[in-house]
Amino acid sequence: MRILHVCTEIHPLLKTGGLADVAAALPPALVRLGCEVRMLVPGFPAFMRGIEGLSEVAALPPRFGAPDARLLAGRLPGTGIPAYVIDAPALYDRPGDPYSDANHHAYPDNHLRFALLGRVGAQLAEGLDPGWRPELVHGHDWHAGLMSAYLAAAAMQAGARLAASVFTIHNLAYQGVFPSELFPEFGLPPQFFDMHGLEFHGQVSFLKGGLFYADQLTTVSPTYAREIQRPEQGCGLDGLLAHRANSLTGILNGVDRDLWNPATDPAIAARYDMDDMDGKRACKAALQREMGLAPRADAPLFGMVSRLTGQKGLPLVLGGLDEIVARGGQVVLLGSGDKALETACLSAATRHSGAVAVRIGYDEALSHRIVAGSDVLMVPSLFEPCGLTQLYALRYGTLPLGGRVGGLADTVADCSLENLADDTATGFVFERFEVADFSAAARRAFALAARPDDWSAVQRTAMRQCFDWDAAARRYLAVYRDALG
Ligand code: ADP
């Protein structure tokens, strides 16, 4: 099967969140199943620099504000997966974040930047590269949403389908909604601006392009697939998603075992595995040293690695912090994003010097050291499509603490008495998004820490959990077969 993935991030070249990890790990897993996989990405500087052996495949017509655009092709470093890059400096050659400027303002021409991505994805299905044509295109998140619409338009014109399409929702909260006046710039048939199409409350929604026109939809956990069909989590699209329920599959992300493995991880102070956990104790001591925390082996250490946005539950952490510290715990947090949240975290660290440490920024290696060195990893998200950090934590014997939402509900089992008795407990789960519930879950962590044998048993259960990309890839393949009909 020839599959084209269309996305905006691929680890380790460019990453702002979990999408990059998925885009790096799913394609090689599909290759292992015998698929022929290629990628298409915008020509952001990180891709232009990092994709190897780039050469021109085709010149692109001057559209979308990109006069000299070209399609290049090369290979991803490491995996060697073939990757197309849209070289359009006028749109993509900008420093920093792929979506916004240094002040976190979305670029005013994002509609053009990502319309071009979708258009070129559809053109590849139409035969833009004479040497390779996908049978199926797989778009990720709103940036690739218009691809399914362009493909539908091309099929209307050709009188036949050119390729099957699958669209994955990594986070429904990011939708790519633009004023209706911009619609003519996309060059799509006028009838596509309709409630049964791209129109969303009088505006144009790129995300809806994927949700409406793709043959099959997926999202990144079974629970999130159900949640987004209801008004509370549907972000205004629950009606459409419920209507498409038969074409919507929740597939949990996996863990890249080469990157996230405590037995081989070069970023952590000492390696360890389930049979020899001494290294984990060394990782905790090293983390305490590195972050300026008191060197106390007995202090339960609560870690967090996260984008700092409203989604990620920082108000619960900040609200529960005093109690964690009062009970003798420590907190270490790595994150960046919302300036007000950054400031609030930093002032908590100043208030609790020696017990709370905060690093603002993006630091891949430190994220590994926090996952390895902490006892508990906090993921108290308001909603969480899948969540990757709790999967990494489980592998490192660090017990996740989070709400019963989305992928967290599918991957973490609370240390309730019955789960402890059944050897299924892996973490601390709270029900309601409230400081009181968060704090009660944290108290369960302290209670378990006071029973070291039980803690070790739960750690072993956590480390035995298997979130495997090969299993996920097999599920994607089944979805692809449905899409191809
Ligand atoms: P989301 O995609 O919503 O940000 P996920 O849990 O799915 O959340 O994925 C987040 C990914 O980004 C994880 O690999 C996590 O380790 C990483 N990450 C988030 N913030 C940082 C940071 N400040 N430094 C390093 N890695 C980070």
Side-chain angles (χ1 to χ4, degrees), residues 168-468:
T168 294
I169 305 157
H170 295 266
N171 193 332
L172 193 70
Y174 298 97
Q175 304 194 346
V177 174
F178 300 97
S180 58
E181 300 80 72
L182 300 177
F183 181 76
E185 297 186 35
F186 302 135
L188 285 160
Q191 67 271 28
F192 278 34
F193 187 68
D194 186 83
M195 193 177 101
H196 300 290
L198 298 171
E199 191 258 338
F200 183 65
H201 299 290
Q203 297 186 288
V204 186
S205 164
F206 276 44
L207 183 74
K208 210 178 154 201
L211 302 187
F212 187 83
Y213 290 104
D215 297 309
Q216 288 288 324
L217 306 176
T218 76
T219 188
V220 286
S221 70
T223 295
Y224 193 60
R226 288 191 297 276
E227 287 171 347
I228 57 178
Q229 296 178 46
R230 296 195 291 266
E232 309 83 66
Q233 298 251 17
C235 302
L237 291 159
D238 41 290
L240 173 57
L241 288 162
H243 179 71
R244 298 218 56 192
N246 290 336
S247 312
L248 169 62
T249 311
I251 303 176
L252 272 178
N253 290 331
V255 173
D256 187 331
R257 285 151 187 261
D258 294 334
L259 286 178
W260 292 94
N261 181 353
T264 56
D265 193 333
I268 64 180
R271 259 64 47 201
Y272 60 93
D273 60 29
M274 213 192 302
D275 299 322
D276 180 3
M277 296 290 279
D278 285 350
K280 183 156 178 72
R281 285 180 276 280
C283 286
K284 178 172 175 178
L287 182 63
Q288 286 170 323
R289 256 193 321 277
E290 176 179 3
M291 299 299 289
L293 296 169
R296 286 180 39 216
D298 62 326
L301 177 47
F302 291 69
M304 182 162 180
V305 177
S306 184
R307 292 184 295 117
L308 300 182
T309 68
Q311 174 195 343
K312 298 293 184 178
L314 268 301
L316 299 193
V317 176
L318 293 167
L321 203 69
D322 289 353
E323 185 175 343
I324 290 178
V325 173
R327 286 179 180 271
Q330 297 180 334
V331 172
V332 57
L333 186 147
L334 165 66
S336 64
D338 184 295
K339 293 292 160 214
L341 289 173
E342 289 182 356
T343 308
C345 292
L346 286 170
S347 76
T350 309
R351 214 159 18 96
H352 293 293
S353 164
V356 176
V358 170
R359 183 78 58 82
I360 298 300
Y362 188 91
D363 186 334
E364 194 78 25
L366 179 56
S367 78
H368 284 242
R369 293 196 290 276
I370 291 177
V371 169
S374 302
D375 297 300
V376 176
L377 194 93
M378 300 182 290
V379 201
S381 307
L382 176 59
F383 64 94
E384 193 52 80
C386 175
L388 286 170
T389 53
Q390 87 277 12
L391 302 185
Y392 302 148
L394 289 165
R395 240 182 117 51
Y396 282 67
T398 304
L399 308 185
L401 186 162
R404 196 183 300 283
V405 289
L408 294 167
D410 294 327
T411 57
V412 186
D414 184 56
C415 281
S416 62
L417 285 175
E418 64 275 24
N419 286 345
L420 286 171
D422 292 350
D423 268 341
T424 55
T426 56
F428 312 98
V429 179
F430 58 87
E431 298 295 331
R432 290 168 309 160
F433 190 77
E434 288 172 11
V435 173
D437 270 34
F438 169 86
S439 290
R443 286 207 299 281
R444 279 204 296 293
F446 282 99
L448 194 71
R451 294 155 50 179
D453 289 347
D454 284 342
W455 187 284
S456 298
V458 174
Q459 266 184 326
R460 279 195 298 279
T461 306
M463 293 174 89
R464 271 199 300 270
Q465 302 300 306
C466 181
F467 299 102
D468 185 21

Side-chain angles (χ1 to χ4, degrees), residues 48-74:
M48 296 297 291
R49 270 195 312 270
I51 294 178
E52 294 167 349
L54 283 175
S55 63
E56 183 168 326
V57 173
L60 298 170
R63 285 190 60 190
F64 303 114
D68 306 312
R70 300 178 304 157
L71 183 69
L72 311 179

